[in-house]
Amino acid sequence: MINFPTLARWQKPDLAIDLGTANTRLVVRGEGCIFDEPSLCCFHELHGRSGFMAAGKEVLAMVDRVPKAFSVRRPLARGVLQDIEATGALLAHGLASIGGKARRFRPRALIGLPADATKAEASALLAAASDAGLGQVELIREPFAAAVGAGLPVSEARASMIVECGAGTTEIAVFSMDGQCKTRSVRMGGQSLDEALLEYLQTKHHFLIGRLTAERLKRELSSRTHGSSSIEDIMTVKGRDLRTGTPGTLTLQASAFNPVFDKHFARFAEATRAVLSELSPDLAADLLDERIIATGGGVCASFLADAIARECGVPVIVADNATGCVARGLQSFLEN
Protein backbone atom coordinates (compact mmCIF):
# COMPACT_ATOMS: atom_id res chain seq x y z
CA MET A 1 0.00 0.00 0.00
CA ILE A 2 2.85 2.37 0.78
CA ASN A 3 5.62 2.19 -1.77
CA PHE A 4 8.25 4.22 -3.47
CA PRO A 5 6.81 5.67 -6.68
CA THR A 6 6.86 3.37 -9.70
CA LEU A 7 5.87 5.25 -12.84
CA ALA A 8 4.61 2.11 -14.55
CA ARG A 9 1.94 1.69 -11.87
CA TRP A 10 0.83 5.30 -11.92
CA GLN A 11 -2.06 6.34 -14.11
CA LYS A 12 -1.09 9.97 -14.59
CA PRO A 13 -2.05 11.47 -11.21
CA ASP A 14 -3.60 14.92 -11.48
CA LEU A 15 -2.35 16.40 -8.23
CA ALA A 16 -0.27 15.73 -5.15
CA ILE A 17 -1.08 16.53 -1.53
CA ASP A 18 1.36 17.28 1.27
CA LEU A 19 -1.02 16.75 4.19
CA GLY A 20 0.89 18.09 7.17
CA THR A 21 0.10 18.55 10.84
CA ALA A 22 0.46 22.34 10.53
CA ASN A 23 -0.15 23.06 6.83
CA THR A 24 -1.63 21.33 3.80
CA ARG A 25 -0.30 21.94 0.29
CA LEU A 26 -1.85 20.92 -3.01
CA VAL A 27 0.32 20.63 -6.11
CA VAL A 28 -1.28 20.43 -9.57
CA ARG A 29 0.64 18.86 -12.44
CA GLY A 30 2.04 21.57 -14.70
CA GLU A 31 1.11 24.41 -12.33
CA GLY A 32 3.00 23.77 -9.08
CA CYS A 33 1.80 24.41 -5.54
CA ILE A 34 -1.42 26.43 -5.74
CA PHE A 35 -2.88 25.77 -2.29
CA ASP A 36 -1.02 26.24 1.00
CA GLU A 37 -3.16 26.73 4.10
CA PRO A 38 -3.22 25.71 7.79
CA SER A 39 -4.47 22.20 8.55
CA LEU A 40 -7.45 23.39 10.57
CA CYS A 41 -11.21 22.90 10.45
CA CYS A 42 -14.05 24.54 12.37
CA PHE A 43 -17.28 22.69 13.18
CA HIS A 44 -20.52 23.86 14.75
CA GLU A 45 -21.93 21.47 17.34
CA LEU A 46 -25.75 21.42 17.32
CA HIS A 47 -28.07 18.86 18.94
CA GLY A 48 -25.25 16.34 19.24
CA ARG A 49 -24.22 16.67 15.60
CA SER A 50 -21.28 18.50 14.09
CA GLY A 51 -21.61 20.64 10.99
CA PHE A 52 -18.68 21.81 8.92
CA MET A 53 -18.23 25.59 8.83
CA ALA A 54 -14.76 26.51 7.55
CA ALA A 55 -11.26 25.22 6.93
CA GLY A 56 -7.74 26.48 6.27
CA LYS A 57 -6.65 30.07 6.75
CA GLU A 58 -10.13 31.25 7.76
CA VAL A 59 -9.88 29.13 10.91
CA LEU A 60 -6.43 30.20 12.09
CA ALA A 61 -7.64 33.21 14.09
CA MET A 62 -10.35 31.06 15.72
CA VAL A 63 -7.92 28.81 17.62
CA ASP A 64 -8.69 29.08 21.37
CA ARG A 65 -11.20 31.85 20.63
CA VAL A 66 -14.45 30.05 19.76
CA PRO A 67 -17.52 29.64 22.04
CA LYS A 68 -18.57 26.23 23.33
CA ALA A 69 -20.92 25.57 20.42
CA PHE A 70 -17.94 25.57 18.04
CA SER A 71 -14.86 23.39 17.86
CA VAL A 72 -11.59 23.92 16.03
CA ARG A 73 -10.08 20.59 15.05
CA ARG A 74 -6.75 19.52 13.58
CA PRO A 75 -7.05 16.58 11.18
CA LEU A 76 -3.59 15.31 12.10
CA ALA A 77 -1.63 14.91 15.32
CA ARG A 78 2.02 13.82 15.57
CA GLY A 79 2.07 13.58 11.79
CA VAL A 80 -0.74 11.05 11.35
CA LEU A 81 -4.48 11.25 10.89
CA GLN A 82 -6.54 11.55 14.08
CA ASP A 83 -9.87 12.88 12.77
CA ILE A 84 -11.31 11.36 9.59
CA GLU A 85 -14.19 13.83 9.40
CA ALA A 86 -11.90 16.86 9.67
CA THR A 87 -9.42 15.35 7.19
CA GLY A 88 -12.14 14.79 4.62
CA ALA A 89 -13.45 18.32 5.13
CA LEU A 90 -9.99 19.86 4.77
CA LEU A 91 -9.21 17.92 1.59
CA ALA A 92 -12.61 18.83 0.13
CA HIS A 93 -11.92 22.49 0.96
CA GLY A 94 -8.57 22.27 -0.82
CA LEU A 95 -10.10 20.65 -3.91
CA ALA A 96 -12.83 23.30 -4.02
CA SER A 97 -10.20 26.05 -3.71
CA ILE A 98 -8.25 24.89 -6.77
CA GLY A 99 -11.46 24.71 -8.79
CA GLY A 100 -11.12 23.14 -12.21
CA LYS A 101 -7.35 23.12 -12.15
CA ALA A 102 -7.29 19.39 -11.42
CA ARG A 103 -9.45 18.98 -14.57
CA ARG A 104 -11.05 15.72 -13.49
CA PHE A 105 -14.04 14.46 -11.59
CA ARG A 106 -12.58 12.52 -8.64
CA PRO A 107 -8.97 13.34 -9.61
CA ARG A 108 -6.15 10.88 -9.02
CA ALA A 109 -3.68 11.98 -6.38
CA LEU A 110 -0.39 11.32 -4.62
CA ILE A 111 -0.44 11.87 -0.87
CA GLY A 112 2.55 11.96 1.46
CA LEU A 113 2.53 9.71 4.52
CA PRO A 114 5.02 9.33 7.40
CA ALA A 115 7.39 6.41 6.98
CA ASP A 116 6.24 4.74 10.21
CA ALA A 117 2.50 5.09 9.60
CA THR A 118 0.57 1.89 10.36
CA LYS A 119 -1.73 0.11 7.91
CA ALA A 120 -4.70 1.34 9.94
CA GLU A 121 -3.50 4.94 9.67
CA ALA A 122 -2.94 4.56 5.92
CA SER A 123 -6.40 3.03 5.47
CA ALA A 124 -7.99 5.88 7.41
CA LEU A 125 -6.28 8.41 5.17
CA LEU A 126 -7.47 6.61 2.04
CA ALA A 127 -11.03 6.62 3.40
CA ALA A 128 -10.85 10.36 4.13
CA ALA A 129 -9.46 11.02 0.65
CA SER A 130 -12.34 9.11 -0.91
CA ASP A 131 -14.88 11.03 1.19
CA ALA A 132 -13.31 14.29 0.01
CA GLY A 133 -13.89 13.40 -3.65
CA LEU A 134 -10.52 11.99 -4.68
CA GLY A 135 -10.24 9.01 -6.98
CA GLN A 136 -7.25 6.68 -7.14
CA VAL A 137 -4.69 7.56 -4.47
CA GLU A 138 -1.01 6.57 -4.24
CA LEU A 139 0.65 6.97 -0.84
CA ILE A 140 4.29 8.11 -0.91
CA ARG A 141 6.71 8.00 2.00
CA GLU A 142 7.33 11.59 3.06
CA PRO A 143 11.08 11.24 3.78
CA PHE A 144 11.63 9.98 0.23
CA ALA A 145 9.58 12.85 -1.21
CA ALA A 146 11.53 15.33 0.95
CA ALA A 147 14.86 13.87 -0.18
CA VAL A 148 13.87 14.22 -3.84
CA GLY A 149 12.58 17.74 -3.19
CA ALA A 150 15.87 18.67 -1.52
CA GLY A 151 17.81 17.51 -4.58
CA LEU A 152 19.55 14.54 -2.97
CA PRO A 153 20.98 11.88 -5.37
CA VAL A 154 18.72 9.13 -4.04
CA SER A 155 19.06 7.00 -7.19
CA GLU A 156 22.85 6.70 -6.96
CA ALA A 157 24.84 3.98 -5.18
CA ARG A 158 25.84 6.21 -2.27
CA ALA A 159 24.24 7.38 0.93
CA SER A 160 21.75 10.24 0.93
CA MET A 161 20.54 11.19 4.41
CA ILE A 162 17.71 13.50 5.34
CA VAL A 163 16.24 14.68 8.64
CA GLU A 164 12.76 16.02 7.96
CA CYS A 165 11.31 17.97 10.90
CA GLY A 166 7.62 18.65 10.46
CA ALA A 167 5.16 20.15 12.88
CA GLY A 168 4.07 16.81 14.29
CA THR A 169 6.81 14.30 13.54
CA THR A 170 10.51 14.19 12.68
CA GLU A 171 11.83 11.51 10.33
CA ILE A 172 15.41 10.45 9.77
CA ALA A 173 16.12 8.36 6.69
CA VAL A 174 19.05 7.13 4.59
CA PHE A 175 18.59 6.23 0.92
CA SER A 176 20.70 4.60 -1.77
CA MET A 177 19.71 3.40 -5.26
CA ASP A 178 16.10 4.54 -4.78
CA GLY A 179 15.82 2.34 -1.71
CA GLN A 180 15.42 3.09 1.96
CA CYS A 181 18.40 1.77 3.94
CA LYS A 182 17.54 2.97 7.43
CA THR A 183 14.78 5.08 8.92
CA ARG A 184 13.59 6.26 12.29
CA SER A 185 10.68 8.47 13.31
CA VAL A 186 10.21 10.63 16.39
CA ARG A 187 6.60 11.65 16.98
CA MET A 188 7.63 15.18 17.86
CA GLY A 189 8.20 18.31 15.79
CA GLY A 190 7.63 22.04 15.68
CA GLN A 191 4.38 21.88 17.64
CA SER A 192 6.18 20.02 20.43
CA LEU A 193 8.49 23.02 20.72
CA ASP A 194 5.45 25.29 21.01
CA GLU A 195 4.20 23.11 23.85
CA ALA A 196 7.61 23.15 25.53
CA LEU A 197 7.72 26.96 25.45
CA LEU A 198 4.20 27.13 26.86
CA GLU A 199 5.09 24.68 29.64
CA TYR A 200 8.31 26.55 30.47
CA LEU A 201 6.50 29.85 30.97
CA GLN A 202 3.75 28.19 32.99
CA THR A 203 6.01 26.27 35.38
CA LYS A 204 8.96 28.64 35.62
CA HIS A 205 7.21 32.01 35.51
CA HIS A 206 3.59 31.16 36.36
CA PHE A 207 2.49 32.77 33.13
CA LEU A 208 0.03 31.19 30.68
CA ILE A 209 0.02 31.85 26.93
CA GLY A 210 -2.07 30.43 24.09
CA ARG A 211 -0.94 28.09 21.34
CA LEU A 212 -0.81 30.76 18.66
CA THR A 213 1.22 33.01 20.96
CA ALA A 214 3.60 30.11 21.61
CA GLU A 215 4.09 29.62 17.87
CA ARG A 216 4.75 33.32 17.32
CA LEU A 217 7.21 33.29 20.23
CA LYS A 218 9.05 30.32 18.67
CA ARG A 219 9.36 32.11 15.35
CA GLU A 220 10.57 35.33 16.91
CA LEU A 221 13.08 33.51 19.10
CA SER A 222 14.37 31.62 16.08
CA SER A 223 14.93 34.79 14.07
CA ARG A 224 16.61 36.59 16.98
CA THR A 225 18.78 33.87 18.48
CA HIS A 226 20.03 31.75 15.58
CA GLY A 227 23.46 32.85 14.45
CA SER A 228 23.67 35.54 17.14
CA SER A 229 25.54 35.51 20.42
CA SER A 230 23.78 38.57 21.76
CA ILE A 231 22.16 38.13 25.17
CA GLU A 232 20.57 41.57 25.13
CA ASP A 233 17.57 40.57 23.00
CA ILE A 234 14.41 41.11 25.00
CA MET A 235 11.23 39.10 24.43
CA THR A 236 7.80 40.37 25.47
CA VAL A 237 4.79 38.05 25.55
CA LYS A 238 1.17 38.68 26.46
CA GLY A 239 -1.04 36.23 28.31
CA ARG A 240 -2.50 35.56 31.75
CA ASP A 241 -0.58 35.89 35.00
CA LEU A 242 -1.46 32.77 37.00
CA ARG A 243 -0.58 34.43 40.29
CA THR A 244 -3.14 37.20 39.86
CA GLY A 245 -5.50 35.58 37.36
CA THR A 246 -5.46 38.73 35.24
CA PRO A 247 -4.09 39.58 31.78
CA GLY A 248 -0.46 40.58 31.83
CA THR A 249 2.82 41.02 30.02
CA LEU A 250 6.03 39.09 30.69
CA THR A 251 9.47 40.34 29.63
CA LEU A 252 12.47 38.00 29.44
CA GLN A 253 15.85 37.83 27.75
CA ALA A 254 15.86 35.63 24.66
CA SER A 255 18.70 33.59 26.17
CA ALA A 256 16.35 32.43 28.93
CA PHE A 257 14.72 30.12 26.39
CA ASN A 258 17.96 28.47 25.26
CA PRO A 259 17.56 25.41 27.56
CA VAL A 260 14.12 24.75 26.05
CA PHE A 261 15.53 24.77 22.52
CA ASP A 262 18.57 22.69 23.48
CA LYS A 263 16.50 19.98 25.18
CA HIS A 264 14.00 19.83 22.32
CA PHE A 265 16.49 19.40 19.49
CA ALA A 266 18.77 17.09 21.47
CA ARG A 267 16.13 14.36 21.09
CA PHE A 268 16.33 14.51 17.31
CA ALA A 269 20.13 14.58 17.39
CA GLU A 270 20.13 11.42 19.53
CA ALA A 271 17.76 9.69 17.09
CA THR A 272 20.04 10.68 14.20
CA ARG A 273 23.05 9.23 16.01
CA ALA A 274 21.13 5.97 16.48
CA VAL A 275 20.46 5.75 12.73
CA LEU A 276 24.11 6.47 11.92
CA SER A 277 25.23 3.72 14.29
CA GLU A 278 23.21 1.16 12.30
CA LEU A 279 24.66 2.02 8.88
CA SER A 280 27.25 -0.06 7.06
CA PRO A 281 30.76 1.46 7.21
CA ASP A 282 30.68 2.46 3.54
CA LEU A 283 27.30 4.20 3.81
CA ALA A 284 28.49 6.00 6.94
CA ALA A 285 31.69 7.09 5.18
CA ASP A 286 29.65 8.53 2.29
CA LEU A 287 28.06 11.02 4.66
CA LEU A 288 31.39 12.67 5.40
CA ASP A 289 31.35 13.93 1.81
CA GLU A 290 27.65 14.04 1.01
CA ARG A 291 26.52 15.71 4.25
CA ILE A 292 23.16 15.38 5.94
CA ILE A 293 20.29 17.57 4.76
CA ALA A 294 17.83 19.10 7.26
CA THR A 295 14.39 20.00 5.93
CA GLY A 296 10.93 20.94 7.12
CA GLY A 297 9.72 23.07 9.97
CA GLY A 298 11.03 26.30 8.49
CA VAL A 299 12.27 28.12 11.58
CA CYS A 300 13.37 24.86 13.23
CA ALA A 301 15.61 23.53 10.47
CA SER A 302 18.71 25.58 11.38
CA PHE A 303 18.55 24.61 15.07
CA LEU A 304 18.05 21.00 14.02
CA ALA A 305 21.12 21.12 11.79
CA ASP A 306 23.29 22.64 14.54
CA ALA A 307 22.17 20.07 17.14
CA ILE A 308 22.90 17.11 14.83
CA ALA A 309 26.30 18.49 13.84
CA ARG A 310 27.29 18.85 17.52
CA GLU A 311 26.00 15.41 18.52
CA CYS A 312 27.19 13.39 15.53
CA GLY A 313 30.26 15.26 14.32
CA VAL A 314 29.18 15.25 10.68
CA PRO A 315 28.36 18.25 8.48
CA VAL A 316 24.68 19.17 8.22
CA ILE A 317 23.18 21.76 5.90
CA VAL A 318 19.68 23.20 5.63
CA ALA A 319 17.91 22.63 2.33
CA ASP A 320 16.81 25.59 0.24
CA ASN A 321 13.19 26.40 1.06
CA ALA A 322 13.32 23.71 3.73
CA THR A 323 9.59 23.89 4.45
CA GLY A 324 8.55 22.99 0.91
CA CYS A 325 10.75 19.95 0.22
CA VAL A 326 7.97 17.34 0.50
CA ALA A 327 5.73 19.32 -1.85
CA ARG A 328 8.58 19.79 -4.33
CA GLY A 329 9.36 16.08 -4.23
CA LEU A 330 5.72 15.21 -4.89
CA GLN A 331 5.69 17.72 -7.75
CA SER A 332 8.75 16.02 -9.23
CA PHE A 333 6.88 12.71 -9.24
CA LEU A 334 3.90 14.38 -10.94
CA GLU A 335 5.97 15.99 -13.67
CA ASN A 336 8.22 13.01 -14.40
Side-chain angles (χ1 to χ4, degrees):
M1 181 179 295
I2 311 170
N3 296 301
F4 291 118
T6 302
L7 292 177
R9 294 194 297 109
W10 290 2
Q11 297 182 32
K12 296 183 179 179
D14 304 288
L15 68 152
I17 302 172
D18 175 12
L19 183 61
T21 302
N23 289 83
T24 294
R25 300 176 179 89
L26 270 65
V27 179
V28 174
R29 188 174 69 246
E31 300 185 44
C33 183
I34 60 175
F35 177 89
D36 184 353
E37 295 191 14
S39 298
L40 293 168
C41 291
C42 181
F43 290 84
H44 182 217
E45 308 295 334
L46 183 64
H47 305 306
R49 293 187 176 184
S50 62
F52 172 74
M53 290 194 61
K57 59 185 178 183
E58 295 180 20
V59 184
L60 187 60
M62 302 179 191
V63 176
D64 291 337
R65 290 190 174 102
V66 295
K68 292 183 178 180
F70 297 81
S71 62
V72 174
R73 289 148 60 176
R74 289 189 178 273
L76 286 82
R78 305 298 184 189
V80 293
L81 186 147
Q82 67 169 351
D83 188 325
I84 293 180
E85 182 181 25
T87 303
L90 177 64
L91 292 175
H93 167 71
L95 290 175
S97 298
I98 65 176
K101 294 181 179 180
R103 299 186 183 89
R104 285 183 60 89
F105 174 72
R106 298 189 69 83
R108 300 185 179 99
L110 307 176
I111 302 180
L113 192 73
D116 69 337
T118 65
K119 289 184 178 180
E121 291 166 343
S123 296
L125 178 55
L126 291 174
S130 179
D131 292 343
L134 289 170
Q136 180 181 343
V137 171
E138 178 88 8
L139 300 179
I140 305 296
R141 292 184 176 99
E142 287 180 350
F144 186 68
V148 172
L152 288 174
V154 295
S155 62
E156 298 181 14
R158 51 179 170 147
S160 294
M161 185 168 185
I162 193 162
V163 183
E164 208 270 328
C165 182
T169 188
T170 297
E171 300 188 281
I172 304 116
V174 179
F175 303 99
S176 179
M177 298 181 65
D178 281 333
Q180 184 172 280
C181 301
K182 293 290 179 182
T183 184
R184 180 168 296 206
S185 297
V186 181
R187 292 293 176 97
M188 294 176 61
Q191 285 186 353
S192 302
L193 181 54
D194 298 344
E195 295 165 5
L197 291 169
L198 193 154
E199 182 180 356
Y200 167 76
L201 291 176
Q202 183 175 354
T203 57
K204 187 79 173 179
H205 298 280
H206 308 287
F207 196 80
L208 189 62
I209 61 174
R211 286 174 289 176
L212 291 181
T213 301
E215 183 176 357
R216 285 194 295 269
L217 174 62
K218 173 187 68 180
R219 293 182 180 278
E220 190 170 353
L221 280 167
S222 299
S223 64
R224 290 196 181 194
T225 60
H226 183 69
S228 172
S229 59
S230 173
I231 60 172
E232 302 301 324
D233 285 335
I234 301 299
M235 308 299 301
T236 300
V237 291
K238 297 178 180 179
R240 178 157 54 88
D241 191 324
L242 295 176
R243 288 165 292 197
T244 64
T246 59
T249 300
L250 180 67
T251 301
L252 294 170
Q253 287 186 339
S255 58
F257 297 93
N258 287 348
V260 180
F261 276 72
D262 292 343
K263 181 178 179 181
H264 180 76
F265 290 106
R267 295 168 180 166
F268 307 137
E270 291 168 2
T272 303
R273 175 185 280 274
V275 170
L276 290 172
S277 69
E278 297 171 355
L279 295 178
S280 70
D282 288 335
L283 283 174
D286 288 342
L287 295 173
L288 293 174
D289 298 321
E290 299 301 327
R291 298 188 176 185
I292 299 172
I293 301 294
T295 71
V299 298
C300 294
S302 296
F303 290 92
L304 181 66
D306 290 346
I308 295 172
R310 288 194 303 269
E311 174 72 19
C312 303
V314 292
V316 183
I317 60 174
V318 179
D320 294 336
N321 185 17
T323 305
C325 285
V326 172
R328 286 203 308 275
L330 292 173
Q331 182 178 357
S332 177
F333 300 151
L334 282 179
E335 305 297 345
N336 298 322

